[in-house]
Amino acid sequence: FDPLEADYEALAAQLEDGWEAATPSDTGGAEIEIPVRYGGADGPDLSSLAKHVGLSVDEVVKRHTEAEYVVFFLGFQPGFAYMGGLDPALHTP
């Protein structure tokens, strides 16, 4: 869009309407299951993470594997996905 010609409020309203109207079936997305290994050489910081969030290692793994993650968009690095859906209890700085 031409920022000198476009009506910002109208564009913002159109984007919000489109976002609200979108459903998972509109995205053409697919559910993909990715195998994950936890702990040891594959996750040497797992114990530190569990301690930081105040959960057991087993509970961290349980919460991480039970979540359904949504890819919002792919980043600037090839294959880097910006995702949402992580259990807030696992959020870390």
Side-chain angles (χ1 to χ4, degrees):
F1 73 93
D2 182 345
L4 300 177
E5 298 292 325
D7 178 346
Y8 170 80
E9 285 79 17
L11 286 173
Q14 286 177 330
L15 286 170
E16 287 181 27
D17 290 345
W19 180 262
E20 293 298 322
T23 64
S25 61
D26 291 333
T27 65
E31 184 172 317
I32 299 171
E33 189 170 320
I34 301 172
V36 179
R37 298 188 323 195
Y38 295 90
D42 298 311
D45 57 349
L46 181 57
S47 295
S48 297
L49 170 66
K51 183 177 180 181
H52 177 77
V53 297
L55 299 170
S56 70
V57 167
D58 288 341
E59 184 65 19
V60 168
V61 171
K62 179 179 178 284
R63 290 180 186 219
H64 188 258
T65 58
E66 286 180 343
E68 184 172 303
Y69 301 95
V70 176
V71 176
F72 294 127
F73 69 97
L74 296 179
F76 306 103
Q77 296 285 336
F80 187 87
Y82 287 84
M83 301 187 308
L86 180 66
D87 183 325
L90 301 179
H91 289 185
T92 58

